[in-house]
Amino acid sequence: LHIILRPNNPTPSVWNYFVECDDALHRIYRLPALNYDRGNGVDIYTSSQWFIIARDFAWYLANPPEGSFVEYYLQYIEHVVVADEAFFGTVVRNTHFCGTLHNDNFLHLQFDRWENEATGKRDQRKCVMKNRDHCGRSPTTMTVDYLPVLELSGDLFARKFDDEVEPHIKDYIDKRRVKEEERFLREAKLIKEAKEKSDGTEAEAALPLEDWEFQGEGVLIVAKETLQDEVPLCMGLAEEGNRILLQPCFKEDVPASLSPDWESGAVIIEEIEGLNRWDIGPCSSDGELKSIDTGELEMIPGEYSEKGPSCGIKLGDGPRRGRCIDVQSEQKGPGGLLHVFPCYTRWHQMYSFGNGTIAPRGAIHASLPFHITRELRKKNEGEVHQHLCLGVVGRGDADETWIEYTEEEMEEYDPWEYDDVEVYPNGRKSLQLWSGEQLQTTPCSNEGGVIEWFYVPFIVEEYDEEHEAEANPEDMTETDEEL
């Protein structure tokens, strides 16, 4: 059962006593809302009406003890609009069942529009508000482009599905379940073989890694244009806060020791500067991602997804380890700032990798779901960009009208705005001018503003303990003292 743990404090204008008559709801009078701070001794909690409950809780609800809270509360709540969402959570939170709550109903849904924004004919009987245009919100209807979110959510259930709006999505879900079953059987076989080889003792099977898992140690995400610069630049986390910056990859003395084709090899954690290690995954299963020898990720489109797998990208080190790259405030247009945020599987935390079609080869991009682009086009507030790539501002060919500057910012020059700055052989201004700047989203068509990336895996060096002990300076100190 999922409960919003902040008490509900409904306003008097919406908290009313209703009765059903003649196949319609009628408002009778305003109902005083229960609230602990108002002296009622109880708070109302909103919860999902989709849940799984234990038998003893169900029995308690069906046969409430005489004089109990449930008996009293039933009389109060049964005539409130959407009473089911205010009943079960409130009972759990205000009875001895509070300590048994697992606050998750394994249901995936996303609310995106009010009832009056829905397409098709409206049923006015569903709306009990004075203003008929202000009714309850409707969950997003699942479409094929939403499948990666469903797959990676970890939930067992989802809603809502509509065969008229999207007739194919459930067929794709069934196909994915078959693939998952085949993978589980393969892994079970590997585990069984590992146990047999170890004579029945506990042994961990070396399950095969996906190409994008980079040996399980994470990856350095390097700006392609800076690979041969004196200071290669990487995607990394700022020293303070959650901002994702373009910043030096390595400690100061490391770049001089790099080989000309270092990006096709690997790096060790001791070489990097700051928090620059990332873990890619989990990824959705439609399409393929392959790590190739050059340091690039090759994306192969899937059966239904032209952008291939969608992946989370998590920080690999530091106090914010495990947080996901996130488009701040779910910015649906260009100019969304990148930061790390707790992972919760939404479109603005899921990224795909360009192959030269919808995004440049090597680019990382987020894609707006269909229902969002549809609503944006309805509003007709400007060009809608379905695919938003990670990049920088002030370098691309596009007229970046989405950037809003203060008067003070207009008077100050950024490092890249001067005429005598360093440029690359291709005529583009050096990305070094953006070192330390926060990454943000830009249209994938914005050539120059979009950054193309290489992916260099980390390796963990294994030391021989015997030889390490021989080389330990403390041993030499003891020998000197003896001498």
Side-chain angles (χ1 to χ4, degrees), residues 87-246:
F87 177 69
F88 296 97
T90 301
V91 172
V92 168
R93 293 287 291 170
N94 288 281
T95 64
H96 63 282
F97 288 97
C98 183
T100 67
L101 172 67
H102 178 78
N103 198 24
D104 188 351
N105 59 355
F106 305 104
L107 170 69
H108 183 86
L109 50 79
Q110 181 169 329
F111 290 97
D112 72 316
R113 62 186 181 187
W114 294 97
E115 190 70 27
N116 65 294
E117 297 172 338
T119 55
K121 186 177 179 181
R122 293 172 54 192
D123 186 351
Q124 290 288 5
R125 295 174 304 170
K126 294 171 62 177
C127 187
V128 295
M129 304 298 176
K130 290 181 179 180
N131 181 352
R132 293 288 187 175
D133 283 340
H134 190 74
C135 290
R137 287 191 298 170
S138 175
T140 302
T141 299
M142 299 292 106
T143 49
V144 167
D145 65 318
Y146 212 77
L147 277 171
V149 175
L150 289 179
E151 180 178 351
L152 300 180
S153 68
D155 291 319
L156 301 176
F157 311 97
R159 63 182 294 258
K160 59 185 181 179
F161 295 91
D162 187 330
D163 289 342
E164 292 185 4
V165 175
E166 179 53 82
H168 303 298
I169 184 169
K170 289 186 283 188
D171 294 332
Y172 286 125
I173 291 175
D174 289 339
K175 289 181 181 180
R176 180 177 60 80
R177 290 176 60 192
V178 171
K179 289 181 180 179
E180 284 187 346
E181 183 66 23
E182 292 173 350
R183 178 172 62 84
F184 292 151
L185 291 174
R186 288 196 303 270
E187 292 181 353
K189 183 180 179 181
L190 289 172
I191 292 172
K192 181 180 179 181
E193 291 174 352
K195 286 184 177 180
E196 290 174 351
K197 290 179 180 179
S198 61
D199 300 324
T201 59
E202 290 294 326
E204 291 188 8
L207 300 179
L209 295 174
E210 300 287 352
D211 285 332
W212 42 262
E213 290 183 287
F214 295 101
Q215 304 174 22
E217 302 298 338
V219 63
L220 191 69
I221 303 179
V222 190
K224 176 182 176 180
E225 289 182 273
T226 71
L227 285 170
Q228 302 306 321
D229 286 0
E230 290 184 8
V231 181
L233 298 178
C234 285
M235 180 191 301
L237 189 70
E239 292 184 2
E240 297 181 359
N242 297 310
R243 296 175 303 132
I244 297 176
L245 311 179
L246 188 64

Side-chain angles (χ1 to χ4, degrees), residues 1-2 39 41 48 65 69 86 106 113 212 220 232 258 261 271 282 285 411 428-429 446 458 471-472 480:
L1 175 66
H2 177 250
S48 172
F69 167 72
F106 305 104
R113 62 186 181 187
W212 42 262
L220 191 69
L258 297 174
D261 57 349
E271 293 178 332
S285 57
E411 294 175 358
R428 295 283 177 192
K429 294 179 180 180
N446 185 17
F458 282 88
N472 193 326
D480 288 342

Side-chain angles (χ1 to χ4, degrees), residues 214-341:
F214 295 101
Q215 304 174 22
E217 302 298 338
V219 63
L220 191 69
I221 303 179
V222 190
K224 176 182 176 180
E225 289 182 273
T226 71
L227 285 170
Q228 302 306 321
D229 286 0
E230 290 184 8
V231 181
L233 298 178
C234 285
M235 180 191 301
L237 189 70
E239 292 184 2
E240 297 181 359
N242 297 310
R243 296 175 303 132
I244 297 176
L245 311 179
L246 188 64
Q247 61 185 20
C249 302
F250 299 104
K251 293 178 180 176
E252 190 173 339
D253 59 337
V254 172
S257 65
L258 297 174
S259 63
D261 57 349
W262 67 271
E263 69 277 5
S264 62
V267 294
I268 59 175
I269 189 67
E270 289 80 10
E271 293 178 332
I272 68 170
E273 182 69 41
L275 301 174
N276 292 342
R277 179 160 64 160
W278 301 92
D279 292 313
I280 297 178
C283 297
S284 58
S285 57
D286 191 51
E288 292 184 61
L289 280 179
K290 293 184 177 181
S291 175
I292 54 181
D293 293 341
T294 59
E296 297 172 280
L297 268 182
E298 182 181 2
M299 184 277 285
I300 302 172
E303 181 179 357
Y304 63 83
S305 175
E306 64 174 341
K307 59 188 176 67
S310 296
C311 307
I313 304 178
K314 301 176 183 178
L315 186 65
D317 295 302
R320 292 173 177 78
R321 178 181 180 181
R323 290 193 176 190
C324 283
I325 296 180
D326 179 278
V327 180
Q328 190 171 358
S329 303
E330 301 182 34
Q331 174 77 27
K332 299 177 179 66
L337 298 175
L338 275 293
H339 66 170
V340 292
F341 195 77

Side-chain angles (χ1 to χ4, degrees), residues 375-450:
E375 293 302 320
L376 290 175
R377 290 190 176 104
K378 277 184 181 180
K379 294 178 180 177
N380 198 25
E381 296 177 351
E383 187 177 0
V384 176
H385 301 278
Q386 184 175 5
H387 306 291
L388 297 170
C389 284
L390 276 55
V392 293
V393 65
R395 189 172 186 262
D397 294 337
D399 184 9
E400 297 170 340
T401 55
W402 57 84
I403 304 296
E404 296 182 0
Y405 295 101
T406 64
E407 290 186 10
E408 185 176 325
E409 288 173 332
M410 290 288 288
E411 294 175 358
E412 295 180 359
Y413 272 42
D414 288 307
W416 54 85
E417 292 183 301
Y418 293 93
D419 295 330
D420 56 345
V421 296
E422 180 186 356
V423 296
Y424 289 130
N426 62 8
R428 295 283 177 192
K429 294 179 180 180
S430 169
L431 268 179
Q432 299 295 332
L433 299 167
W434 282 265
S435 179
E437 294 294 322
Q438 188 171 6
L439 294 173
Q440 56 182 274
T441 58
T442 190
C444 290
S445 58
N446 185 17
E447 189 174 349
V450 176

